[in-house]
Amino acid sequence: MPPTDADISHRHALAPEVCATFGQDGVLCPLDVMSEEEAATVRGHIEAQEAQSHGRLSGLTRVKPHLLLPFLWDIVHDPRIVGPVASLLGPDIYCIGSSIIDKPAGSDGYVAWHQDATFWGLSDAVGATAWLALSAANSESGCMEVIPGTHTRQLAHLDTQDARNMLGAREAVRQDIDRSQARALVLRPGQMSLHHPLVLHGSGRNLSADRRLGFVIRYVPAAISQDGATVTLVAGRNISGMPLETAPEGALTSDALARHADIIRRAGRVIRRAKEAHLRQADASPETGT
């Protein structure tokens, strides 16, 4: 008999005290997922796809790529990731997004301090983002930094309009950041961090000789809704009745690409609406969280 979702979650469950740490800090790091050799294989698959796309996947292809590449669909559903997430979110889980995050060696890209859920348009800002390292993530390569305990309320953001800011909406939190409270999330290839969608985080430039490559998966409880978007049901029941995404038939097939293009258009409208609403409110009361 194949294992059930409950069996998988139990086998890879987090200890209660670890879950309590996530509740207090909004972050867990590091968590072992796979060996460095397996991570190198995943990296090799991505780089093989890049080699067929003039050396770099397009910006759109790097958004929700699990809908285009079967090996990434498998990682989104991997029990070694989903089990710990289920410990935090419960047995019914959506993936609302995934991304291939790449900082080339010596590039000037950075990620401004922000809270993930600001422009997501969720019915409730609850979830856990898995950041799976496929190369070394450390201070030299521009790893993620977080300020633990900052996930209790939504803060006001602005649009930096800075092309070097790698965030899709170019956002940044408005308030000054006390960097003395920041924690660097150092990961070896094959490890992941989990962070709450409201914990403050950002990252600096990659000053190392290797690219900083990661695969990021955004999970929320399946009771959450995101009006106008589609989701991947990862485990359990489709409680909120969101439109569900389907697995790719193969790598970058024409059918998958057509579905993906429509899904990304819909997701873009969700983010634009949420961004416009947030910025209007933040401009009206710039000194307060929203």
Side-chain angles (χ1 to χ4, degrees), residues 2 12 17 58 65-66 73 83 85 87 96 113 121 123 128 130 134 145 171 177 207 238 246 252 265 272 275 277 283:
H12 298 280
E17 60 270 22
S58 71
H66 71 284
W73 176 273
V85 169
S87 297
I96 62 168
W113 286 93
S123 59
L134 301 176
E145 296 181 82
E171 72 265 32
I177 301 299
L207 303 177
N238 183 9
T246 57
L252 302 176
R265 281 193 294 269
R272 284 193 297 272
K275 179 178 178 179
D283 287 341

Side-chain angles (χ1 to χ4, degrees), residues 32-47 71-72 75 78 80 132-136 187-192 213-215:
D32 293 334
V33 174
M34 59 182 66
S35 68
E36 292 197 39
E37 291 76 16
E38 187 177 352
T41 298
V42 175
R43 174 176 175 168
H45 289 329
I46 291 173
E47 291 178 341
F71 71 93
L72 294 180
I75 291 176
D78 193 311
R80 296 170 294 181
L132 176 65
L134 301 176
S135 65
L187 299 168
R188 67 156 176 79
Q191 291 182 320
M192 73 172 177
L213 187 67
F215 182 53

Side-chain angles (χ1 to χ4, degrees), residues 1-281:
M1 176 182 292
T4 65
D5 289 342
D7 293 332
I8 291 170
S9 296
H10 178 74
R11 189 183 312 157
H12 298 280
L14 299 174
E17 60 270 22
V18 177
C19 295
T21 296
F22 185 85
Q24 175 179 311
D25 294 345
V27 62
L28 293 173
C29 178
L31 296 171
D32 293 334
V33 174
M34 59 182 66
S35 68
E36 292 197 39
E37 291 76 16
E38 187 177 352
T41 298
V42 175
R43 174 176 175 168
H45 289 329
I46 291 173
E47 291 178 341
Q49 290 297 327
E50 290 175 328
Q52 297 177 33
S53 303
H54 309 289
R56 185 170 174 82
L57 296 176
S58 71
L60 289 180
T61 305
R62 294 197 303 273
V63 178
K64 288 199 173 187
H66 71 284
L67 302 180
L68 297 173
L69 298 169
F71 71 93
L72 294 180
W73 176 273
D74 291 342
I75 291 176
V76 164
H77 293 79
D78 193 311
R80 296 170 294 181
I81 298 175
V82 176
V85 169
S87 297
L88 303 174
L89 305 184
D92 308 300
I93 303 172
Y94 293 144
C95 165
I96 62 168
S98 67
S99 302
I100 296 172
I101 305 292
D102 182 26
K103 280 185 188 172
S107 63
D108 61 358
Y110 73 98
V111 175
W113 286 93
H114 70 290
Q115 296 169 301
D116 282 342
T118 304
F119 301 152
W120 283 359
L122 300 177
S123 59
D124 193 10
V126 178
T129 295
W131 207 107
L132 176 65
L134 301 176
S135 65
N138 51 44
S139 295
E140 184 183 16
S141 66
C143 68
M144 190 192 312
E145 296 181 82
V146 303
I147 300 182
T150 52
H151 58 298
T152 58
R153 68 186 181 108
Q154 174 70 62
L155 301 173
H157 285 56
L158 52 78
D159 184 347
T160 66
Q161 300 184 23
D162 184 352
R164 296 171 301 168
N165 182 0
M166 295 173 63
L167 294 168
R170 310 297 189 202
E171 72 265 32
V173 69
R174 288 180 179 240
Q175 69 181 46
D176 293 333
I177 301 299
D178 181 1
R179 294 287 297 275
S180 69
Q181 304 299 313
R183 174 189 171 194
L185 302 188
V186 175
L187 299 168
R188 67 156 176 79
Q191 291 182 320
M192 73 172 177
S193 60
L194 292 173
H195 68 267
H196 190 282
L198 286 181
V199 76
L200 275 171
H201 63 288
S203 65
R205 293 178 55 206
N206 179 5
L207 303 177
S208 76
D210 189 18
R211 71 194 302 186
R212 192 208 65 163
L213 187 67
F215 182 53
V216 181
I217 315 166
R218 301 168 184 90
Y219 296 104
V220 300
I224 299 291
S225 61
Q226 190 182 30
D227 188 34
T230 62
V231 297
T232 297
L233 182 63
V234 172
R237 301 162 295 160
N238 183 9
I239 295 175
S240 68
M242 290 283 292
L244 298 183
E245 299 155 346
T246 57
E249 300 85 355
L252 302 176
T253 65
S254 57
D255 286 348
L257 285 165
R259 292 194 304 268
H260 180 262
D262 180 63
I263 286 167
I264 298 305
R265 281 193 294 269
R266 295 175 65 168
R269 288 194 291 268
V270 171
I271 291 171
R272 284 193 297 272
R273 285 198 307 268
K275 179 178 178 179
E276 290 168 0
H278 177 91
L279 294 180
R280 282 196 303 270
Q281 185 172 355

